[in-house]
Amino acid sequence: MEKRDKTLIIIAIAICVVICCLSPFIASGDPDGLEKSAEDAGVPENATKEVVASPFPDYTYEPLEAIGEVGVLILGVLLTLLCGLAIGKLVQKKKLS
């Protein structure tokens, strides 16, 4: 990988972390997407059964409040990047063999 590519990746990761740090403070408190559609359809909140409990419901870690939201978002970004890196390495390994 060229130095230019590494620099670009580091800048992209930094931008992701900045967005994670700002998003809890600028995000709308009004529900949207699937949650809003369920409310509009009159589906009660406890109408569904959890198959697996979420480790961080509503993208937050309750004891830390807003800082917990930032931490959970950064953790999500890092886990996603690591999964992408692992998949990329597997694909690269298959191409080489």
Side-chain angles (χ1 to χ4, degrees):
M1 185 182 301
E2 293 181 26
K3 183 177 180 181
R4 181 176 163 222
D5 294 337
K6 288 181 183 180
T7 304
L8 183 63
I9 290 170
I10 290 170
I11 291 171
I13 291 171
I15 290 171
C16 288
V17 170
V18 168
I19 291 171
C20 288
C21 291
L22 295 176
S23 65
F25 305 106
I26 59 175
S28 172
D30 297 327
D32 57 357
L34 184 59
E35 190 173 331
K36 177 69 173 157
S37 297
E39 284 180 6
D40 290 347
V43 177
E45 282 192 38
N46 60 356
T48 60
K49 207 186 225 185
E50 288 184 9
V51 176
V52 177
S54 172
F56 302 109
D58 293 329
Y59 304 103
T60 187
Y61 181 63
E62 290 296 328
L64 298 179
E65 297 175 3
I67 299 299
E69 289 181 38
V70 171
V72 168
L73 290 169
I74 291 172
L75 178 66
V77 166
L78 293 176
L79 287 173
T80 303
L81 290 172
L82 286 174
C83 287
L85 179 65
I87 291 170
K89 293 286 183 184
L90 287 173
V91 168
Q92 184 182 27
K93 190 175 181 181
K94 284 214 174 222
K95 282 186 177 181
L96 293 176
S97 54

